[in-house]
């Protein structure tokens, strides 16, 4: 309905425009039509504005002010017709309408420009327009004074010229204006020409039957047509004013103004009208030409700046960094520091790119401040893109700069009330004074060192050394192999295995379940633990694929053990954020369990605090559905994240798994955190499971604190499926049917 109404309104606007043009032509051709048209058109235009506002419902009250202006202008000729005179009240109404129109233009323009810092190019645009407007205004003032000696007419003509300059400035500097804006601009231009013509004739409005009324009729009608067009909602909107032309486009729009002084002089001479002194034309023409040349120079400088600077941070980009590297050799050699924010992708995915951009701006400020303080202004900070920054600094201060940068970004960053962590990994590459290194090679070395810093846990700086290249080549090879591994069976790259680490009751040592831990049996590198390949899985955006493969294998393994008549114990499977953000997670898991004939109580799912879930993530609904079906939910690594309480509120958690870093301090007497968590869990009717229990002393202290469950090397290392089944689940009483093996896994009994 709304779309049809908008199409009808747009089509009707063009039909009415054709009617207005036809009526305007008749008004010019038939003098008897002029006075009636001047009386009827303002009322029709006001009705058009009211109808347009009712149809399209724009924000703000600017259109109602336009309607009031048209009402004042329309009442003036009506009153003149009644009284038989154009001076007095009719003229006062025209004055009031003009003042209101000027107020609308200036108020909207100032309001939309508020808070915007004028650029050098923008100031030059204003200077060019001001010079031309001043010349035109002076010429009109000379004509009015010479013909009528009317100071009021001079004031009116000057005000009209200023408004003309405002409209010209807006038209030159904005792009992609809606149809309604063009109709309004045309109407405003016609009103100014009408008003100037009347001023030159010594009056404030045209007499009935004068040909100049042919300008007033279309001018007033266009206001109503502008309001009827659907684009009228954007006419006074901030985004319309924000769409600026490129500097080159603005310059092309100004170039015709160079000819105005000469054209004005020629018109005045041809018409025999009084003019300004002869020297004003060449002086003003030279001034306008000079200002346009300066504007062109400013546009060129702005273009050069944009070519070598990042648009978001205004730091040097790759091209600007190359210039700095080529033009600023440092005595004693230089160092290049490549920085990559830890977990920046998570910030973008969770909070959106606007928050990510705000974070990058704060990171920029900290990098620039730290580099300036240490290197005394002798360092260059650049942004290569995304969350990668570069610092090119003298070798003498590179180490201190790297340490300062890491410390500077350890502190939380507050963005719009959000507390974000912006840890950084830094790779450092050096070049000697006697052996300069090309920038591309420096970047490559720093990139290798930066990935070494990330592999070591992030939040640190690492210097490049040649042996790192071998590790990078190895990781690159593994990255390709892990994609093939998860795409299906690929014997040449090995296979995945699920190992099971028992979960025990601390007091009795009784096994109550297991956690599934994935391993990669590689043909060259042997059995790889998750630390060796999970980062590659995440880098290749394969988290969901790995989760699905592990989940499939665990459910199939549970089904095989069930068919073999072994003891039934639940198995916990970790899920990454990629899986939790899948709205079909609950249906997929429940279907998988049903197809395999595995009770929902046999599967536990673990979520972690380290991968923060957005508030609008479907995870809460999926986990609630799974919990209602009987799947238990665990919160892993508790005590190391930043959203623990929020997760307990949002998700149906039943078990808190204390991180090993918290458990490790228990035997040394630092048990307050564990005691606090245990008390909170008891109040919330949650169970606590301690990870990483490695000594009898830890076990005894945890039991004293009321912790019931645990896992760790004290009880068992992760076991292959066969070993776990034989040691924990007991002997098989039947072989059971063969079941499909998940992609990337080898068949396991």
């Amino acid at each position: 309905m709304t779309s049809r109404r908008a199409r009808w309104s747009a089509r009707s606007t063009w039909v009415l425009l054709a009617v207005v043009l036809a009526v305007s032509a008749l008004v010019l051709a038939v003098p008897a039509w002029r006075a009636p048209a001047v009386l009827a058109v303002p009322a029709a235009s006001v009705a058009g504005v009211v109808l347009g506002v009712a149809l399209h419902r724009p924000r703000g009250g600017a259109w109602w002010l336009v309607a009031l202006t048209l009402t004042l202008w329309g009442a003036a000729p009506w009153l003149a017709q009644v009284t038989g005179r154009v001076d007095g009240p009719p003229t006062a109404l025209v004055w009031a309408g003009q003042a209101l129109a000027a107020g609308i233009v200036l108020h909207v323009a100032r309001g939309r420009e508020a808070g915007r810092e004028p650029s050098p190019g923008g100031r030059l645009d204003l200077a060019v327009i001001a010079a031309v407007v001043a010349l035109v205004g002076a010429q009109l003032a000379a004509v009015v004074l010479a013909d009528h000696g009317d100071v009021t007419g001079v004031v009116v003509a000057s005000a009209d010229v200023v408004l003309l300059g405002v409209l010209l400035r807006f038209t030159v500097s904005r792009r992609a204006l809606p149809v309604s804006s063009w109709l309004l601009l045309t109407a405003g231009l016609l009103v100014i020409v009408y008003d100037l013509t009347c001023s030159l004739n010594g009056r404030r409005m045209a007499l009935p039957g004068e040909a100049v009324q042919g300008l007033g009729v279309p001018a007033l009608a266009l206001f109503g047509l502008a309001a009827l067009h659907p684009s009228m909602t954007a006419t006074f909107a901030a985004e319309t004013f924000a769409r600026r032309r490129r500097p080159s486009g603005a310059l092309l729009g100004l170039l015709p103004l160079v000819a105005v002084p000469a054209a004005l002089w020629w018109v005045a001479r041809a018409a025999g009208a009084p003019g300004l002194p002869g020297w004003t034309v060449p002086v003003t023409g030279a001034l306008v030409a000079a200002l346009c040349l300066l504007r062109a120079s400013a546009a060129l400088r702005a273009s050069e700046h944009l070519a070598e600077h990042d648009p978001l941070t205004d730091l040097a980009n790759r091209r600007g960094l190359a210039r700095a590297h080529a033009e600023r050799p440092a005595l004693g050699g230089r160092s290049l520091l490549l920085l990559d924010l830890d977990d920046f992708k998570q910030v973008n995915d969770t909070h959106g790119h606007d928050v990510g951009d705000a974070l990058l701006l704060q990171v920029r400020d900290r990098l620039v401040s730290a580099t300036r303080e240490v290197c005394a202004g002798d360092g260059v900070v650049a942004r290569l893109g995304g969350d990668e920054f570069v610092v090119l600094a003298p070798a003498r201060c590179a180490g201190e700069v790297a340490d300062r940068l890491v410390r500077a970004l350890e502190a939380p960053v507050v963005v719009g009330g959000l507390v974000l962590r912006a840890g950084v990994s830094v790779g450092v590459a050096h070049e000697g004074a006697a052996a300069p290194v090309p920038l591309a090679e420096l970047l490559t070395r720093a990139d290798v060192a930066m990935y070494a810093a990330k592999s070591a846990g992030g939040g640190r700086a690492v210097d490049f050394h040649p042996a790192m290249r071998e590790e990078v080549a190895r990781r690159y090879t593994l990255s390709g192999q892990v994609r093939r591994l998860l795409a299906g069976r690929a014997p040449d790259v090995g296979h995945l295995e699920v190992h099971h680490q028992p979960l025990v009751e601390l007091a009795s040592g009784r096994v109550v379940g297991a956690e599934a831990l994935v391993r990669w049996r590689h043909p060259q590198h042997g059995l790889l633990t998750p630390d060796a390949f999970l980062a590659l899985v995440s880098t290749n955006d394969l988290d969901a694929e790995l989760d699905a493969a592990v989940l499939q294998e665990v459910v199939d393994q549970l089904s095989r053990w069930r068919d073999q008549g072994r003891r039934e114990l639940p198995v916990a499977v970790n899920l990454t954020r990629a899986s939790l953000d899948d709205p079909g997670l609950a249906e997929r898991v429940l279907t998988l369990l049903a197809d395999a004939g595995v009770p929902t109580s046999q599967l536990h799912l673990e979520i972690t605090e380290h991968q923060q879930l957005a508030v609008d993530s479907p995870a809460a609904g999926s986990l609630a559905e799974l919990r209602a079906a009987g799947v238990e939910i665990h919160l892993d690594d508790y005590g190391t994240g930043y959203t623990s309480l929020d997760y307990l509120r949002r998700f149906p958690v039943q078990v808190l798994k204390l991180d090993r870093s918290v458990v490790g301090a228990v035997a040394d007497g630092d048990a307050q955190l564990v005691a606090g968590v245990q008390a909170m869990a008891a109040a919330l009717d949650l169970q606590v499971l301690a990870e990483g229990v490695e000594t009898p002393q830890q076990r005894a202290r945890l039991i004293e604190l009321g912790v019931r469950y645990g896992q760790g090397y004290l009880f068992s290392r992760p076991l292959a499926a066969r070993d776990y089944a034989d040691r924990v689940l007991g002997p098989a009483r039947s072989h059971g049917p063969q079941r499909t093996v998940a992609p990337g896994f080898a068949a396991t009994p």
Side-chain angles (χ1 to χ4, degrees), residues 289-601:
L291 289 173
C292 285
L293 287 175
L294 289 175
R295 182 66 181 88
S297 176
L300 180 60
R301 288 197 303 272
S303 177
E304 291 174 343
H305 182 84
L306 288 175
E308 295 188 351
H309 288 78
D310 172 60
L312 173 64
T313 62
D314 203 39
L315 297 174
N317 59 14
R318 189 179 293 269
R319 181 180 293 182
L321 178 66
R323 176 186 287 273
H325 180 265
E327 295 181 354
R328 298 175 61 176
L331 297 176
R334 290 174 298 189
S335 296
L336 186 142
L337 290 73
L338 180 63
L339 303 89
D340 187 86
L341 300 185
D342 300 331
D343 299 325
F344 178 72
K345 183 177 183 296
Q346 182 178 332
V347 173
N348 266 347
D349 292 344
T350 303
H351 303 293
H353 289 276
D354 289 342
V355 173
D357 288 347
L359 172 61
L360 291 176
L361 291 175
Q362 293 204 37
V363 168
R364 172 204 62 187
D365 295 340
R366 296 188 185 188
L367 295 182
V368 171
S369 176
T371 304
R372 184 184 297 120
E373 291 174 6
V374 175
C375 296
D378 201 16
V380 176
V381 182
R383 181 189 178 214
L384 298 186
D387 60 334
E388 281 194 337
F389 293 84
V390 169
V391 176
L392 185 65
R396 67 179 185 276
C397 61
E400 187 178 352
V401 169
D403 292 340
R404 182 73 66 88
L405 294 179
V406 171
R407 291 199 303 272
L409 294 179
E410 283 177 348
V413 178
V414 179
V415 176
L418 297 171
V419 180
L420 307 175
R421 304 282 172 166
V424 66
S425 298
V426 184
V428 185
H430 304 283
E431 67 172 1
V437 179
L439 177 61
E441 176 62 20
L442 272 178
L443 285 170
T444 299
R445 294 179 183 180
D447 190 53
V448 170
M450 185 266 290
Y451 275 105
K454 277 192 172 295
S455 300
R460 67 196 67 203
V462 173
D463 287 349
F464 169 82
H465 59 80
M468 289 180 178
R469 289 190 187 274
E470 298 178 5
E471 176 61 22
V472 169
R474 174 179 174 273
R475 290 178 62 84
Y476 180 79
T477 302
L478 286 177
S479 182
Q481 290 177 341
V482 78
R483 288 195 296 270
R484 295 172 55 206
L485 180 67
L486 291 175
R489 295 181 180 178
D492 60 319
V493 297
H495 62 269
L496 296 173
E497 298 178 3
V498 170
H499 287 205
H500 298 71
Q501 186 170 31
L503 311 178
V504 305
E505 190 176 48
L506 291 175
S508 64
R510 178 173 61 91
V511 177
V512 295
E515 179 181 1
L517 302 170
V518 67
R519 303 287 189 264
W520 182 359
R521 182 73 66 178
H522 195 277
Q524 285 84 40
H525 304 297
L527 188 65
L528 298 178
T529 61
D531 292 342
F533 66 91
L534 285 189
L536 300 176
V537 171
S538 181
T539 301
N540 287 279
D541 293 324
L542 296 172
D543 290 321
E545 285 81 353
L546 180 60
D547 288 351
V550 172
L551 191 60
Q552 177 77 59
E553 175 62 15
V554 167
V555 171
D556 287 342
Q557 185 66 71
L558 286 170
S559 181
R560 287 193 291 270
W561 289 336
R562 183 181 177 84
D563 292 337
Q564 294 168 8
R566 295 182 186 267
R567 178 187 175 195
E568 295 185 17
L569 291 176
V571 176
V573 178
N574 286 278
L575 292 183
T576 62
R577 172 185 170 150
S579 294
L580 293 168
D581 281 339
D582 177 11
L585 172 65
E587 180 182 0
R588 181 161 52 84
V589 171
L590 294 177
T591 301
L592 186 63
L593 290 168
D595 291 345
V598 175
T600 55
S601 60

Side-chain angles (χ1 to χ4, degrees), residues 62-78:
W63 280 106
W64 290 116
L65 294 178
V66 171
L68 179 58
T69 301
L70 294 173
T71 301
L72 294 173
W73 283 342
W78 179 84

Side-chain angles (χ1 to χ4, degrees), residues 196-218:
L196 286 174
T197 303
C198 291
S199 297
L200 291 174
N201 291 329
R203 295 189 299 274
R204 294 301 305 119
M205 58 185 294
L207 296 175
E210 284 189 319
V212 72
Q213 289 181 326
L215 288 176
V217 168

